Amino acid sequence: MPLRKHRSKYYEDDLSLNNRDEVIGYNAQCGKPGAPIRVIGIAGETPVLVGGKYYAPVTAKGQIAEFKLEKMPHQNMVMEYPSHIELQQVTDESLVKKYPGTFFMDEKSKKMVVHYAALEQTGIMAVQSRMGLRICGSYIHLENITFECYSQALYL
């Protein structure tokens, strides 16, 4: 019987591995032939590193929803949830009502108005972190890991 893939979600900000400042000698930070730096999910599981925060709407009317954010999204990257369609920022709240797949954010009040692009969305994911994993060196082996809601998943 085949193994069932299990997905564990980990809500993580910018993780660093083997990325030390002011190290003398680049080789001190590298894997070696036959001994790479290995980042591998456990067999039968697929870990998901998530760099976004989920927000449920404060109010919703049809495809238009209003949110109150705790923290501004990184580079104003916002995705509707669960479809993960990236929303486009507009400069005026009236444009949100007109165009699906858009959002308007008032940074002072931390209020956001969204017009979902897809039906049956339950909220948004606001990207909170620039990258999922930062690794320095050579001979790096990554396997069985998924990244979600980062502006960059990997920085090698």
Short mmCIF file of all heavy atoms in Angstrom, two decimals, residues 39 49 130-135 142 145 147 150-156:
data_model
loop_
_atom_site.label_atom_id
_atom_site.label_comp_id
_atom_site.label_asym_id
_atom_site.label_seq_id
_atom_site.Cartn_x
_atom_site.Cartn_y
_atom_site.Cartn_z
N VAL A 39 18.63 19.52 3.20
CA VAL A 39 17.38 19.97 3.79
C VAL A 39 16.30 19.12 3.13
O VAL A 39 15.95 19.33 1.97
CB VAL A 39 17.13 21.47 3.54
CG1 VAL A 39 15.85 21.91 4.21
CG2 VAL A 39 18.32 22.30 4.03
N LEU A 49 6.40 25.36 4.42
CA LEU A 49 6.78 26.57 5.13
C LEU A 49 5.90 27.70 4.62
O LEU A 49 5.84 27.93 3.41
CB LEU A 49 8.26 26.90 4.91
CG LEU A 49 9.26 25.85 5.39
CD1 LEU A 49 10.68 26.29 5.08
CD2 LEU A 49 9.10 25.57 6.86
N ARG A 130 9.91 38.02 3.55
CA ARG A 130 10.50 38.12 2.21
C ARG A 130 10.84 36.76 1.63
O ARG A 130 10.52 36.46 0.51
CB ARG A 130 11.75 38.99 2.27
CG ARG A 130 12.42 39.12 0.93
CD ARG A 130 13.56 40.11 0.97
NE ARG A 130 14.43 39.86 -0.16
CZ ARG A 130 15.73 39.79 -0.09
NH1 ARG A 130 16.34 39.99 1.04
NH2 ARG A 130 16.44 39.55 -1.15
N MET A 131 11.52 35.92 2.41
CA MET A 131 11.93 34.64 1.85
C MET A 131 11.74 33.52 2.85
O MET A 131 11.74 33.71 4.06
CB MET A 131 13.36 34.67 1.36
CG MET A 131 14.40 34.90 2.40
SD MET A 131 16.01 35.17 1.68
CE MET A 131 15.84 36.82 1.05
N GLY A 132 11.55 32.32 2.32
CA GLY A 132 11.33 31.16 3.16
C GLY A 132 12.60 30.61 3.76
O GLY A 132 12.67 30.36 4.95
N LEU A 133 13.64 30.45 2.96
CA LEU A 133 14.86 29.82 3.44
C LEU A 133 16.06 30.48 2.77
O LEU A 133 16.12 30.60 1.56
CB LEU A 133 14.82 28.32 3.12
CG LEU A 133 15.96 27.45 3.60
CD1 LEU A 133 16.11 27.50 5.12
CD2 LEU A 133 15.75 26.02 3.15
N ARG A 134 17.02 30.89 3.59
CA ARG A 134 18.26 31.50 3.11
C ARG A 134 19.40 30.54 3.44
O ARG A 134 19.62 30.21 4.60
CB ARG A 134 18.48 32.83 3.83
CG ARG A 134 19.71 33.58 3.44
CD ARG A 134 20.01 34.74 4.39
NE ARG A 134 18.84 35.47 4.79
CZ ARG A 134 18.55 36.71 4.41
NH1 ARG A 134 19.35 37.35 3.60
NH2 ARG A 134 17.48 37.31 4.86
N ILE A 135 20.08 30.06 2.40
CA ILE A 135 21.17 29.11 2.59
C ILE A 135 22.41 29.65 1.89
O ILE A 135 22.35 30.09 0.75
CB ILE A 135 20.84 27.73 2.00
CG1 ILE A 135 19.57 27.16 2.63
CG2 ILE A 135 21.99 26.76 2.22
CD1 ILE A 135 19.12 25.86 2.01
N LEU A 142 18.14 20.06 -1.61
CA LEU A 142 16.80 20.31 -1.08
C LEU A 142 15.84 19.29 -1.68
O LEU A 142 15.88 19.04 -2.88
CB LEU A 142 16.31 21.71 -1.44
CG LEU A 142 17.13 22.88 -0.92
CD1 LEU A 142 16.60 24.17 -1.51
CD2 LEU A 142 17.09 22.94 0.57
N ILE A 145 10.13 19.65 0.14
CA ILE A 145 9.73 20.80 0.94
C ILE A 145 8.95 21.74 0.04
O ILE A 145 9.32 21.96 -1.11
CB ILE A 145 10.96 21.54 1.52
CG1 ILE A 145 11.73 20.62 2.47
CG2 ILE A 145 10.55 22.82 2.25
CD1 ILE A 145 13.03 21.19 2.94
N PHE A 147 7.04 25.65 -0.30
CA PHE A 147 7.00 27.01 0.23
C PHE A 147 5.70 27.67 -0.22
O PHE A 147 5.29 27.50 -1.36
CB PHE A 147 8.20 27.82 -0.26
CG PHE A 147 9.52 27.26 0.19
CD1 PHE A 147 10.18 26.33 -0.58
CD2 PHE A 147 10.07 27.66 1.39
CE1 PHE A 147 11.39 25.80 -0.16
CE2 PHE A 147 11.28 27.14 1.82
CZ PHE A 147 11.94 26.20 1.05
N TYR A 150 5.47 33.43 0.24
CA TYR A 150 6.69 34.24 0.40
C TYR A 150 6.87 35.04 -0.89
O TYR A 150 6.46 34.59 -1.96
CB TYR A 150 7.93 33.35 0.60
CG TYR A 150 7.97 32.62 1.90
CD1 TYR A 150 7.59 31.30 1.99
CD2 TYR A 150 8.42 33.26 3.06
CE1 TYR A 150 7.64 30.61 3.18
CE2 TYR A 150 8.47 32.58 4.26
CZ TYR A 150 8.08 31.26 4.31
OH TYR A 150 8.12 30.58 5.51
N SER A 151 7.55 36.20 -0.80
CA SER A 151 7.85 36.89 -2.04
C SER A 151 8.97 36.18 -2.79
O SER A 151 9.04 36.24 -4.00
CB SER A 151 8.18 38.36 -1.79
OG SER A 151 9.28 38.51 -0.93
N GLN A 152 9.87 35.48 -2.06
CA GLN A 152 10.87 34.60 -2.64
C GLN A 152 10.94 33.36 -1.76
O GLN A 152 11.08 33.48 -0.55
CB GLN A 152 12.26 35.24 -2.65
CG GLN A 152 12.35 36.50 -3.47
CD GLN A 152 13.71 37.16 -3.31
OE1 GLN A 152 14.67 36.55 -2.85
NE2 GLN A 152 13.79 38.42 -3.68
N ALA A 153 10.85 32.18 -2.33
CA ALA A 153 10.88 30.97 -1.53
C ALA A 153 12.29 30.65 -1.05
O ALA A 153 12.51 30.36 0.11
CB ALA A 153 10.32 29.79 -2.32
N LEU A 154 13.25 30.73 -1.95
CA LEU A 154 14.63 30.36 -1.61
C LEU A 154 15.60 31.46 -1.99
O LEU A 154 15.45 32.12 -3.00
CB LEU A 154 15.05 29.09 -2.38
CG LEU A 154 14.35 27.81 -2.03
CD1 LEU A 154 14.73 26.74 -3.03
CD2 LEU A 154 14.71 27.38 -0.63
N TYR A 155 16.62 31.61 -1.16
CA TYR A 155 17.73 32.51 -1.46
C TYR A 155 18.99 31.69 -1.25
O TYR A 155 19.33 31.33 -0.13
CB TYR A 155 17.69 33.71 -0.52
CG TYR A 155 18.78 34.73 -0.78
CD1 TYR A 155 18.67 35.64 -1.81
CD2 TYR A 155 19.89 34.78 0.04
CE1 TYR A 155 19.65 36.57 -2.05
CE2 TYR A 155 20.89 35.73 -0.19
CZ TYR A 155 20.76 36.60 -1.24
OH TYR A 155 21.75 37.53 -1.46
N LEU A 156 19.62 31.30 -2.35
CA LEU A 156 20.80 30.44 -2.27
C LEU A 156 22.05 31.21 -2.63
O LEU A 156 22.04 32.00 -3.53
CB LEU A 156 20.66 29.25 -3.20
CG LEU A 156 19.47 28.35 -2.98
CD1 LEU A 156 19.38 27.30 -4.09
CD2 LEU A 156 19.58 27.65 -1.65
#
